[in-house]
Every structure is written in C-alpha cells, then in structure tokens.
Amino acid sequence: MRLRGYLIALFLLIQVGVRAHTIEWFSPSTGYFYKIDFENSQLSRTKNGLPWMSLGELSFEHVEKKDLISANYAVKEFKIENSDWAYLLISCTNQVYQINKKQLSLKRIDETYFRGANCLSSTFYRNGILYSFGGYGFWTSTNILTKYNADGKEWLSIQAKGDVPPAISMGLTAYVPSQDKFITMGNHLINDTDSKRLDVLDWNIYEYNFSTSEFVSQGNIELEEVKSYLEKDLTRYYIFNGRYFFLLDKSGREKNFDTIYIIDVLDDFKTYAWKNKNRLVIEGPYSGNFDKAFHVNGDTLIWTNVSNQSTPNTLKNHRMMVNDLLRESDYLGKLSQVPWYKSILEGSLVMISIGFFVLAFFLYKKWMKRKLRKQLKIMLGDNEKMLLDFLILNYTIGYISGHQIIAYFGKHKSSPESQRQFRAKIFENLTKSLRLLLGKEHILEVHTDEKDQRIFTYRLNPEVYQILKSL
C-alpha cells in the first residue's frame, strides 16, 4: 500500500502542473552535481552537494516554466558525443532538453505534449538515440518501448517479440553498452483498476536484443536476499556502472545503510554481499537524497556524509574501488540459482510424486487382478475352471492333446463322439469367456500332432498365459 500511495501522489503532483523552482542531477561525464534555479536562471554545480557554486545565468530557448516539474531525483543527463551539449530528460514529462554548460544555454528540442505516462521509466542513450522503456502512468505500470525521433521531434513506439515482460517498472533495469543489450528484472505489475492485482512482482530476468527486437527470459530471480530487497517499497535504491548493479540496503537499521548487494551482469549474474556497519553511514541532509549521497564514477563508488551534524556544511567523502568492494564481499551465488533447500524440497516432491504414482499404479494393477479373478470365478463353470488350471499347469511342458484332456476329466470310457462333443463344448465356453474378460481374440494355440495329423494339440496363447499366471 505504501508503494501504491507513493505512486498516486507522484502522479497527482504531475497532473496539477506544479511549477519547477529547481531541478538537480548528477552528471556522469563530469562527476559534478548540477542545479538550475528557474527563478533566477542560475546554473550551479557542486562536487559533493554542499556548497553550490554558481556558473552563471542560463539563456533559455523554447523553455516554458509551466511545462516543468520540480525534480531532484528523476533528471538524467546523457553526454552528446564530440560536443559540449548534453541531453536532459525529466521523468514523467517525455520532454527532451539540451544543455550546454560552457555556453550557459538550455533549450527544449521536442514537440511532445504527453505527460504522466512514463514516470520512473528506464531511460538511456544508445548509438546517438534516446530510449525510454516502461514506467508507470495513469495508475498502471507499462511495458511500452519508445525511442526519440530527432527529425519528428517526437517519441516513437518500438515493437518487440519473444518473452516480452508484462511491465518494466520499479525493478532493476539497465542498458549494458559493452554487450549492447537491455536488462530488466524484478518488475512491479501495478493496476489500480484491478483490486485483485494491486502490486505483483515479476521475478523473471529479461534481456532485450536490439538487433532482433526480441526479449529473452534468462531465468528467474531465486536468491532470497535479492528477492527480499526487491519486495520493499520505493525507499530501495540502486545504481549501475555498466557492469554491476549496486543495491544499497540496510540490515534492520533506521539510518545506516550497511549492506550493498552487487550483481555482475557480465558474469552470469553472480551476486555478492558487502556489509560493514561502521563504514557506509549516510545521515544528515543526505539520508533522503541518494543522488547526492551515493553515486558511481567509473569503477569508483562515492558516498558523501556529514562529519559533524552540528556543522552541516562540513562534508566527508568516502571512496572505494569496485575491486576492493568485491574482495570484501561474500559470494551469494548466481541470481537465478535455486537455494539448496529448495532443490532438496523440489527433489523430495518429485520423489514423493513418483512414489505416489508407482503406488497408485501398483494398487490399480492389484485391484484389476482381484477384479479379474472375481469375474473368472463368476463366469467360468467348474469344467472350464478345471480346464484352465490344467492348461496353465502344463504350459511350460508344451502342447497337450485332446486325449490328455479327456483322461484328465475321466471321460476316456465314453464313446468317441461323446468325447468330441464334450471337448468342443468346454473349449468353446472357455474361449468365449476369456475373450470377453481379457479383450483378446486369440486365446488358444491349436496345432496338429506331429505323429498323427488327425489329433489336435492345445496350449494357451503366451500373452494370455502371462496374464492368467500373474493372478
């Protein structure tokens, strides 16, 4: 509910058209923080957040104050190659600005009038083109892919195929330049219209290939530490340096962020945990502004802290190389690695399921045999039962002749015609009953005797024998 309330408040703030007094952002290309004060048109910068140093008065071109919103957390700068200009994007507005800090110039270059559809979207710069993927707007999360068309001065939709994520919103997202791919995972699916699905987490790890315009699922997030982190509300914070996600977290503390989870997207999403409750402390005026308190410059993590709260202008910078951070970290496993206990549990469930089916099959076969024995007992007469027992008993010996059957029933003193009729009748009754019960057409194998072609010999069909033998 905290997540939902935050998003509603953010959206309403945009809809009422709050005028911007200032916007602030971090410039990855210079390592400085910048601020524009629209009341006096001043551009300022700082290395740590305090104090601000004025660079001069900006000139504006096609910039309307009514189109701006106050933003000190959702402004992104992208340096334009071989130029003093850079793009500025402000979340939720779809507006595109260019700034030249040397010439002290700010101009708006787009002609879009849409607002509120891409709050908290993932924006990045690739091959000279601006992209905006996903976001939240109009009370629902979105998976819309767009790119900025400089000629038309408008955003264009991108069609994708494959395992398209249902939402790209409030998860871990990044463009990886070295592999020219977009990664998104742990996204929130939000739809305030559907009371049954206010906030659902998508644990899939998606990669988008620009050359094929295709999303491919790379598995699910399974590490409990990362899942727990992503289940929190929007107070979570992360940054990306082109290879590693750095997830800033606390271990049950109210102020000190003493834990960093590190995900290596170039090495099969291997994940590490760095913890030091006395080293990474963020308090004072920076505890709520992570863009100033914590950022990455290349392979260096930098966090800023107030050394003495009684003198708030006194700052202290902490720096750590990524390699040093990894050396002090514990390896947790691959992001999609199933925990050992879950593997055992799943294996146990599989074995139990197999055992259940084996037992069920055994009981079913046993029940079928019992049913067949009962049916044989009901349908066969005494003579047919005796004949069947005799055939089963002598199956391994070989074929039995008609004379042996007559002798077995004690009919050898009767006339030949009576013997023939008796033998024919009893065989007819037996084969009819067995065909009906077993569903087999060939019950007996009948051959002429090798010595006397006038005499027939009999034996059960092998398949029928195996069925009856097992009863």
Side-chain angles (χ1 to χ4, degrees):
M1 293 303 292
R2 291 179 63 188
L3 174 62
R4 180 189 178 196
Y6 177 90
L7 291 171
I8 292 175
L10 176 63
F11 187 71
L12 290 176
L13 177 66
I14 297 161
Q15 291 298 95
V16 299
V18 176
R19 292 189 179 183
H21 295 288
T22 63
I23 60 172
E24 299 178 15
W25 71 95
F26 175 71
S27 172
S29 61
T30 65
Y32 283 96
F33 293 95
Y34 290 88
K35 176 173 66 174
I36 300 176
D37 188 333
F38 289 97
E39 295 298 320
N40 54 27
S41 303
Q42 289 293 310
L43 174 66
S44 304
R45 78 177 185 186
T46 178
K47 196 68 174 179
N48 306 315
L50 288 175
W52 289 96
M53 181 183 72
S54 176
L55 298 178
E57 184 177 344
L58 279 172
S59 64
F60 296 138
E61 182 180 345
H62 305 304
V63 177
E64 298 288 341
K65 293 182 180 180
K66 64 181 181 180
D67 291 332
L68 296 162
I69 62 172
S70 292
N72 60 3
Y73 62 92
V75 181
K76 295 287 185 67
E77 177 187 303
F78 301 101
K79 181 74 169 58
I80 300 176
E81 299 88 345
N82 304 317
S83 171
D84 293 331
W85 290 88
Y87 290 108
L88 281 186
L89 300 181
I90 304 176
S91 182
C92 295
T93 68
N94 270 325
Q95 297 166 11
V96 183
Y97 295 86
Q98 284 185 348
I99 187 170
N100 189 315
K101 305 183 189 74
K102 291 183 178 181
Q103 298 179 12
L104 295 176
S105 176
L106 177 71
K107 60 182 178 180
R108 182 177 171 185
I109 63 172
D110 70 286
E111 294 182 354
T112 183
Y113 60 90
F114 296 106
R115 170 179 283 189
N118 67 332
C119 298
L120 304 176
S121 63
S122 178
T123 55
F124 54 96
Y125 188 53
R126 172 187 175 268
N127 295 341
I129 300 176
L130 293 169
Y131 291 83
S132 177
F133 282 11
Y136 173 89
F138 301 103
W139 297 276
T140 184
S141 56
T142 176
N143 63 352
I144 296 174
L145 313 181
T146 60
K147 64 180 179 180
Y148 181 69
N149 179 264
D151 294 331
K153 299 182 180 181
E154 185 58 275
W155 292 89
L156 302 179
S157 175
I158 301 172
Q159 290 188 328
K161 57 186 177 181
D163 305 317
V164 180
I168 303 174
S169 180
M170 289 156 284
L172 301 180
T173 59
Y175 171 65
V176 186
S178 62
Q179 294 188 343
D180 191 28
K181 64 183 180 182
F182 174 78
I183 295 175
T184 182
M185 66 187 83
N187 290 295
H188 286 254
L189 284 70
I190 302 171
N191 186 343
D192 284 353
T193 304
D194 188 352
S195 61
K196 297 180 182 178
R197 187 171 64 85
L198 293 179
D199 184 10
V200 179
L201 265 168
D202 178 9
W203 295 118
N204 281 286
I205 304 170
Y206 302 96
E207 289 188 4
Y208 178 75
N209 186 302
F210 287 88
S211 62
T212 61
S213 300
E214 182 177 15
F215 278 100
V216 177
S217 176
Q218 301 295 327
N220 296 328
I221 298 174
E222 297 289 352
L223 282 180
E224 292 298 332
E225 293 86 351
V226 176
K227 292 181 72 173
S228 176
Y229 174 87
L230 292 174
E231 286 174 337
K232 297 180 181 180
D233 58 18
L234 289 182
T235 56
R236 67 181 185 272
Y237 185 78
Y238 75 91
I239 56 178
F240 184 73
N241 76 334
R243 174 169 182 169
Y244 300 100
F245 280 110
F246 300 94
L247 284 56
L248 189 63
D249 199 13
K250 15 177 152 174
S251 300
R253 303 167 67 91
E254 293 184 0
K255 294 183 178 180
N256 295 350
F257 287 76
D258 57 4
T259 302
I260 300 177
Y261 296 112
I262 308 166
I263 303 173
D264 188 347
V265 302
L266 299 186
D267 191 10
D268 209 11
F269 295 96
K270 290 180 179 178
T271 306
Y272 308 84
W274 179 89
K275 294 187 178 183
N276 191 324
K277 64 181 181 180
N278 298 317
R279 189 168 185 180
L280 180 57
V281 180
I282 301 175
E283 297 178 332
Y286 301 104
S287 60
N289 191 333
F290 292 103
D291 283 331
K292 290 195 184 72
F294 190 74
H295 61 277
V296 61
N297 191 357
D299 290 331
T300 305
L301 291 181
I302 304 171
W303 63 92
T304 303
N305 194 20
V306 178
S307 59
N308 187 341
Q309 293 195 30
S310 63
T311 57
N313 288 337
T314 303
L315 300 174
K316 185 178 181 180
N317 270 348
H318 303 271
R319 297 174 180 269
M320 177 176 283
M321 298 296 293
V322 173
N323 289 337
D324 295 333
L325 195 71
L326 289 172
R327 274 194 294 269
E328 296 181 13
S329 300
D330 296 324
Y331 177 62
L332 299 180
K334 296 180 181 178
L335 193 59
S336 59
Q337 179 177 311
V338 178
W340 64 268
Y341 60 86
K342 187 177 288 189
S343 299
I344 294 176
L345 180 61
E346 291 176 353
S348 300
L349 290 175
V350 171
M351 293 302 295
I352 292 173
S353 300
I354 293 175
F356 173 78
F357 284 115
V358 170
L359 178 61
F361 180 75
F362 173 78
L363 293 176
Y364 173 76
K365 295 292 287 186
K366 189 174 182 180
W367 175 77
M368 289 295 293
K369 290 177 181 180
R370 185 183 301 139
K371 179 181 177 182
L372 183 56
R373 285 198 301 268
K374 185 176 180 180
Q375 290 174 332
L376 286 172
K377 187 176 181 181
I378 295 172
M379 294 189 65
L380 296 181
D382 291 338
N383 288 339
E384 286 78 12
K385 292 176 185 176
M386 290 178 60
L387 175 60
L388 184 59
D389 291 339
F390 187 65
L391 290 171
I392 294 173
L393 182 65
N394 289 277
Y395 180 84
T396 56
I397 298 175
Y399 288 85
I400 58 175
S401 65
H403 294 304
Q404 290 175 295
I405 295 172
I406 292 299
Y408 176 69
F409 281 97
K411 300 290 185 177
H412 54 283
K413 294 184 179 180
S414 58
S415 65
E417 181 60 25
S418 296
Q419 293 178 12
R420 188 190 65 78
Q421 291 181 358
F422 173 80
R423 188 170 55 246
K425 187 65 175 178
I426 195 173
F427 270 120
E428 181 184 5
N429 292 339
L430 178 65
T431 53
K432 283 183 178 180
S433 298
L434 292 182
R435 285 194 186 105
L436 181 62
L437 292 176
L438 304 181
K440 306 293 183 183
E441 181 64 26
H442 302 290
I443 303 298
L444 295 174
E445 291 184 348
V446 183
H447 295 285
T448 55
D449 188 78
E450 294 180 357
K451 297 180 180 180
D452 190 345
Q453 296 296 313
R454 297 171 300 173
I455 301 175
F456 290 99
T457 58
Y458 308 88
R459 192 175 75 162
L460 286 171
N461 181 286
E463 189 176 355
V464 173
Y465 169 74
Q466 292 298 331
I467 295 174
L468 297 174
K469 180 187 175 182
S470 63
L471 298 180

